[in-house]
Amino acid sequence: MTIVAPGSAQVAVGNKWVGRIALTVWVAILGGLGYLAYTARMDRKQILDLVTDSDALFIARAAVIAISFLWVLLFLDAWRLGSPFKLNFMRAAVLAGLNLAIIASAVGSTAYASQLLHVQRTVVKEVFKETKKSTPLQGRYNILLLGSDSGKGRTGVRPDSMTVASVDANTGKTVLISLPRNLQNVPFPADSPMRKVYPYGFNCGSECLLNAVHTVASNRKDLYPGSSDPGLDAQIDAIRGVTGLKINYYIMINMKGFRSLVDAVGGVQVNVKSRIAMFGHDDAYINKFIEPGDQKLNGQQALWYARSRVQSDDYSRMARQKCLMSAMLHELSPQTVLFNATKILSSGQQLLSTTVPQAELGQFADLALKSRKEKITTVSLVPPQVSTVTPDFVQIHKLIADAINKSEEAKAPAPKATADATEEAPTATPDPFQSKANTTDDLQNSC
């Protein structure tokens, strides 16, 4: 009786007031859960706001612990009301064993729920520390996704993976804009401090690539006073200049943390189009590959799938990265994340840093769920359409505006250009997979 309706045993044969209070609380809990379930169907964002609010999570955890303690007391009292000492030894032993098993199950389940709430709250508080909110521009959030690597033999942090996810703030329709790391002569917006140093773009030679902006500006506190990471601020300014888009937030993803995340959720299913080397130019003796076909990639394999350039190139790698993003978007359901929350926590703290504030988590979680039902459009600034040596930023801005407009199925003016054309793009033809995944109206189908 105490399992099904806590307090009912006391109402039947014990202290009726205790039983009535317990039953009232139980009915209130069921009613609250029913209300939350109804609200989730009618207004999912409201529920997502609750489960990503650190204060709400703290209250929920305290409530779970209190309910667990009181429930155990009711079980013990119900065992007492069963008069176990009046039974013969065998029946008393069976009853005691059954009661202990029930108590252990109740305590175990509530302890697990409490731990999930604790992990969720820890992630929210430690990862999403920012409080400043950024309003969408023309109904879209533009979120910069950076893959960082400060590995052995490298100077500074060079974000080798740079993608802007432009997301419709109402529908979740997404356009992924991939920027090649070797883009040259990138312009800085008029309001950028870097514009004073590089008024004609980042044109200081062949080493001044897009992904080198972070390293060059990493110690320029004079340009970005009060900034904790001037290099990152300069990198964002460069990407604003390249795309002509306002960047609302950034998410910096650490490569090692990404590997841990994939392992934490049990791997990711990917259709591998061609053999992928799991080694670099300096350790070719390893001679290990990811073979073609539908593969369940673990964290190490997923990282090589996203990063490998041996027997490949930057542009094919960019295509694979987008396919990996699409696969994770469609595989990482709320249930998967929930039941692997503890493992995710261990990777989450080393996985990312971000300016997405806690107050926006519900909104973006809702948009992520909406985007799972929409086709993802991609546009990549790669040859032959775009020259990375002498890029035409008027053309680039138009490509991005056209992709966003096509995604929305509406006509809107292209962003104002910030630089002039200098040379036509090269005419080399990339492989078919690269072409499809890098520029497509349906990323999931292209992958």
Side-chain angles (χ1 to χ4, degrees), residues 361-397:
L361 288 180
Q363 164 81 351
F364 284 120
D366 187 48
L367 287 176
L369 292 174
K370 287 179 178 177
S371 68
R372 289 159 63 93
K373 301 177 182 178
E374 300 286 350
K375 293 179 180 178
I376 297 176
T377 300
T378 69
V379 56
S380 298
L381 312 182
V382 299
Q385 199 167 24
V386 172
S387 168
T388 57
V389 178
T390 53
D392 178 347
F393 291 102
V394 173
Q395 173 204 21
I396 287 173
H397 289 183

Side-chain angles (χ1 to χ4, degrees), residues 24-40 47 50:
T24 300
V25 171
W26 180 244
V27 170
I29 290 172
L30 292 179
L33 293 174
Y35 173 76
L36 290 176
Y38 174 78
T39 303
I47 300 301
L50 273 177

